[in-house]
Amino acid sequence: MVGDRQPAEESNGADGFSGNMANIHGQPVNVVRGPDTDAGAIEFSRFDLYTRQRRTSCGVSEKGPDMSASGLPFDDFRELLKNLPEADSAQLVAARERDAQLTKPAGSLGRLEEIAFWLAAWTGRPPAVNRPLVAIFAGNHGVTNQGVTPFPASVTKQMVENFAAGGAAINQICIAHDLGLKIFDLALDIPTGDITVEAALDERNCAATMAFGMEAVAGGTDLLCIGEMGIGNTTIAAAIFNALYGGEARDWVGPGTGSEGEVLERKVAAVEKAVALHKPHLGDPLEILRRLGGREVAAMAGAILAARVQRIPVLIDGYVATAAGAILHAANPRALDHCLIGHVSAEPGHIKVLDRLGKTPLLALGMRLGEGTGAALAAGIVKAAALCHSGMATFSQAGVSDKD
């Protein structure tokens, strides 16, 4: 019945990850619990199972992140970033040829036409969206100890429960656009290190979390929408952008979930202190990720990279999700060719980041909620673009005269 919510039930899928499944308005919400943690260190029992079953299909060594040829956890990811698959040029040509025959003036659908071409190029088939998925990655951050946000870190876990119950904005948008929804709970009871005094993650744990993020494409999807949830993570994103692009911390720090006055000043100070502390190591994008990032940012980076390897188009959400993409872009400027930006966030630094990435967002609605909402709304546009391309008649089919 419309409006009914069934309680989430624990499940163990064939992939060996624990989670729960709720059914809201007929839309399943899958909550995937991240790798077990002990005193902040990720244990690899579930990760190793994922490695055997999934990681090989994404091109990552079966030996796991701490067992690559050189013994360095990031090496598999560095190799992937050097050898990214390209778009399917034949499908791109075919899509353009069909578009020229559709019953409309050339170019009259504007960016919808470009989106259809993008879909064809990256899926290697005529434009279609049959299995869209919103993946939300949730993590907590030690930097909240610095008083950078008016909300307690416990809100992250509470919101994950709200997602599972179907009560968040993202649930309603997924219902409206018929999108699947999967939530990744990334050790919420154990925040990452406080970046003002230590690295957020060590290399092994960061690599493991990136690999775990690859689970987003397991089970199959043909359009992946990337989002996040994490109290304090706009501070994390601002630190990443400051490390990548320079300038003053204040250039990248915004209100996030409502930081203002003294709280905003503490947020600026935290970014300044963190970037100064880790400055000797910030020439390497993956070091920026592990030192200044968080589990949700690392997992999003892994998901985006896995989607590229499997030729799945990606819609990136707002300010924090873009931080994950910016790390990959810094490592390889072609790394986001399969991605579009769902919307420009009201967080003031976001438009500056998009300029750096050479990306034009699909939407500008003044939103700054996160949780994948902008990407999910944009998915409706992408679906419409695919249907216009595939469903419209050609001039010859409709008996409409083309221009002379």
Side-chain angles (χ1 to χ4, degrees):
M1 180 181 294
V2 173
D4 286 355
R5 294 177 183 163
Q6 299 178 14
E9 297 180 357
E10 287 293 326
S11 66
N12 258 319
D15 59 7
F17 287 89
S18 67
N20 58 50
M21 183 75 75
N23 195 324
I24 296 91
H25 299 275
Q27 294 292 107
V29 181
N30 189 12
V31 181
V32 181
R33 305 298 175 188
D36 292 332
T37 58
D38 180 14
I42 291 180
E43 297 293 339
F44 284 88
S45 58
R46 292 178 188 163
F47 170 75
D48 287 340
L49 177 63
Y50 173 66
T51 297
R52 293 196 300 273
Q53 293 183 336
R54 302 292 189 193
R55 272 177 98 227
T56 301
S57 67
C58 293
V60 181
S61 167
E62 292 188 20
K63 296 179 181 179
D66 55 339
M67 300 272 298
S68 59
S70 70
L72 298 177
F74 281 148
D75 280 2
D76 283 332
F77 297 101
R78 296 189 197 281
E79 191 65 24
L80 281 180
L81 284 161
K82 290 178 184 176
N83 297 285
L84 297 173
E86 299 292 343
D88 188 325
S89 58
Q91 283 294 332
L92 177 59
V93 169
R96 286 174 171 162
E97 289 176 347
R98 173 171 169 77
D99 180 77
Q101 301 172 43
L102 299 179
T103 48
K104 62 178 181 62
S108 60
L109 285 178
R111 287 197 72 185
L112 289 185
E113 297 174 14
E114 297 173 11
I115 293 168
F117 302 156
W118 170 74
L119 280 173
W122 287 107
T123 59
R125 68 183 190 200
V129 178
N130 299 315
R131 298 191 66 185
L133 176 69
V134 177
I136 301 177
F137 299 88
N140 272 325
H141 303 272
V143 75
T144 58
N145 294 334
Q146 302 299 317
V148 297
T149 172
F151 289 93
S154 59
V155 170
T156 304
K157 194 169 189 177
Q158 292 164 2
M159 282 303 301
V160 168
E161 294 169 353
N162 193 30
F163 297 148
I170 187 58
N171 299 96
Q172 319 320 316
I173 295 170
C174 286
I175 292 166
H177 292 300
D178 196 20
L179 311 173
L181 178 59
K182 185 180 286 188
I183 316 299
F184 291 81
D185 171 342
L186 300 167
L188 296 182
D189 293 330
I190 305 175
T192 53
D194 179 350
I195 62 173
T196 67
V197 296
E198 63 180 329
L201 296 163
D202 63 30
E203 184 172 339
R204 183 172 181 262
N205 285 330
C206 187
T209 306
M210 291 176 71
F212 186 72
M214 290 178 166
E215 170 72 3
V217 301
T221 179
D222 56 9
L223 179 66
L224 181 63
C225 304
I226 295 290
E228 44 64 40
M229 175 66 211
I231 295 300
N233 66 11
T234 56
T235 303
I236 294 300
I240 288 172
F241 294 134
N242 193 191
L244 287 174
Y245 304 131
E248 302 296 326
R250 197 174 297 276
D251 297 336
W252 304 105
V253 173
T257 53
S259 300
E260 56 185 17
E262 292 183 2
V263 176
L264 184 62
E265 291 306 311
R266 288 196 293 268
K267 190 173 181 180
V268 172
V271 172
E272 290 174 341
K273 187 175 180 182
V275 172
L277 174 67
H278 300 286
K279 188 174 182 179
H281 309 281
L282 301 183
D284 179 347
L286 294 182
E287 280 294 301
I288 292 174
L289 174 62
R290 83 162 185 91
R291 290 175 176 275
L292 299 177
R295 292 192 184 98
E296 75 270 48
V297 180
M300 287 188 290
I304 293 167
L305 188 55
R308 176 59 169 267
V309 173
Q310 296 195 17
R311 299 178 184 275
I312 299 168
V314 174
L315 289 172
I316 296 174
D317 190 41
Y319 189 65
V320 180
T322 303
I327 292 289
L328 300 178
H329 182 268
N332 184 337
R334 299 183 295 106
L336 301 185
D337 289 356
H338 65 305
C339 301
L340 296 180
I341 305 298
H343 80 125
V344 58
S345 170
E347 195 72 2
H350 195 210
I351 188 64
K352 293 184 286 188
V353 175
L354 298 186
D355 287 342
R356 300 265 188 165
L357 298 178
K359 296 286 190 182
T360 302
L362 294 181
L363 296 170
L365 300 176
M367 295 168 56
R368 55 179 177 85
L369 178 60
E371 66 189 49
T373 49
L377 284 169
I381 295 174
V382 174
K383 292 176 72 175
L387 286 170
C388 285
H389 184 91
S390 63
M392 286 180 67
T394 64
F395 284 102
S396 61
Q397 288 171 334
V400 175
S401 299
D402 200 350
K403 64 182 181 180
D404 294 333

